[in-house]
Amino acid sequence: RKEVEQDPGPFNVPEGATVAFNCTYSNSASQSFFWYRQDCRKEPKLLMSVYSSGNEDGRFTAQLNRASQYISLLIRDSKLSDSATYLCVVNSGGGADGLTFGKGTHLIIQP
Amino acid sequence: GAVVSQHPSRVICKSGTSVKIECRSLDFQATTMFWYRQFPKQSLMLMATSNEGSKATYEQGVEKDKFLINHASLTLSTLTVTSAHPEDSSFYICSARVRQGRDEQFFGPGTRLTVL
């Protein structure tokens, strides 16, 4: 069974703080990993792909640990606009398979 | 960037009617599109994979006769919810993979279906 697990939160974080989320996946054959962001009643939007070597995009850093089967997302200098639900997403098929989503971690940045 | 549109954005219908949702890739050709469903406070669940010119592949537990998928061109896939019932009320979202060999998917804005 394909599963992606995340702490649903909510994480209440003051503006400017650093916050980190983790997620774990059960399928060791998983090949591609992503973080998506979803605002309330909107579609998911790709935040960043996650590479084995780790990658950074501005204030966001993603890391992958294949041995432990977890993925992390770090947000530095958090902004009010970062408030959203962050979805950990895995593609296990590498071909035509759809994505497997975690339930998301709800982040609230407080002024 | 890759843009995916969906129409309509919101539908309210009576029980027993059929509802058709369109998903279009606006600035690229998508050989594969995906249909997801999201219930309140739940994760997105893949319903089916839609391949241009061939039959859709449905996930376990999704009735293919109830959720009809047609992918007639490289830019259009449609999902028809036949004989909708209140339990079909949900947020339906399509996505498209931009190109072969890449797994990132871009999502349409979703269709919120309410069946009375």
Side-chain angles (χ1 to χ4, degrees):
Chain A
R1 178 179 169 83
K2 303 176 186 177
E3 284 188 351
V4 177
E5 295 190 9
Q6 295 181 251
D7 181 342
F11 284 46
N12 290 282
V13 175
E15 189 176 8
T18 296
V19 61
F21 311 134
N22 290 330
C23 99
T24 58
Y25 59 94
S26 61
N27 188 343
S28 60
S30 297
Q31 300 181 12
S32 304
F33 310 90
F34 310 94
W35 283 102
Y36 277 76
R37 168 194 170 131
Q38 186 174 25
D39 293 290
C40 187
R41 300 174 76 84
K42 298 287 187 182
E43 77 278 19
K45 296 193 183 217
L46 179 64
L47 181 64
M48 59 197 303
S49 301
V50 185
Y51 303 119
S52 296
S53 56
N55 48 300
E56 187 174 311
D57 183 0
R59 298 182 293 110
F60 299 85
T61 301
Q63 293 197 317
L64 167 65
N65 185 318
R66 284 188 184 270
S68 301
Q69 295 180 203
Y70 83 77
I71 307 155
S72 65
L73 176 68
L74 182 79
I75 305 175
R76 290 182 299 278
D77 187 25
S78 54
K79 313 287 184 192
L80 294 176
S81 57
D82 293 333
S83 297
T85 297
Y86 290 83
L87 307 173
C88 179
V89 183
V90 172
N91 183 321
S92 297
D97 281 11
L99 301 173
T100 300
F101 285 79
K103 288 189 177 181
T105 297
H106 189 197
L107 173 66
I108 301 170
I109 305 299
Q110 296 173 328
Chain B
V3 179
V4 178
S5 71
Q6 253 182 270
H7 177 81
S9 59
R10 181 183 292 269
V11 179
I12 301 174
C13 68
K14 293 181 179 179
S15 185
T17 59
S18 293
V19 176
K20 186 177 183 179
I21 304 170
E22 292 186 349
C23 176
R24 293 181 186 273
S25 56
L26 297 185
D27 53 357
F28 65 100
Q29 293 184 329
T31 54
T32 305
M33 290 183 173
F34 304 88
W35 287 96
Y36 295 83
R37 179 168 55 180
Q38 186 177 33
F39 293 104
K41 298 187 178 180
Q42 298 295 314
S43 58
L44 275 77
M45 296 297 294
L46 178 66
M47 298 175 66
T49 302
S50 169
N51 295 297
E52 187 266 336
S54 63
K55 291 184 179 179
T57 303
Y58 289 81
E59 294 297 298
Q60 191 173 9
V62 179
E63 299 174 57
K64 63 180 181 180
D65 294 330
K66 181 170 181 65
F67 298 99
L68 301 178
I69 292 173
N70 184 284
H71 194 155
S73 76
L74 288 172
T75 59
L76 173 65
S77 176
T78 61
L79 168 69
T80 301
V81 183
T82 62
S83 187
H85 288 91
E87 58 266 29
D88 299 322
S89 298
S90 187
F91 190 43
Y92 291 85
I93 312 177
C94 72
S95 73
R97 188 171 350 102
V98 175
R99 55 184 177 272
Q100 292 292 96
R102 296 292 298 271
D103 287 330
E104 293 97 335
Q105 294 178 21
F106 292 86
F107 287 81
T111 297
R112 194 161 299 279
L113 171 64
T114 302
V115 185
L116 303 175

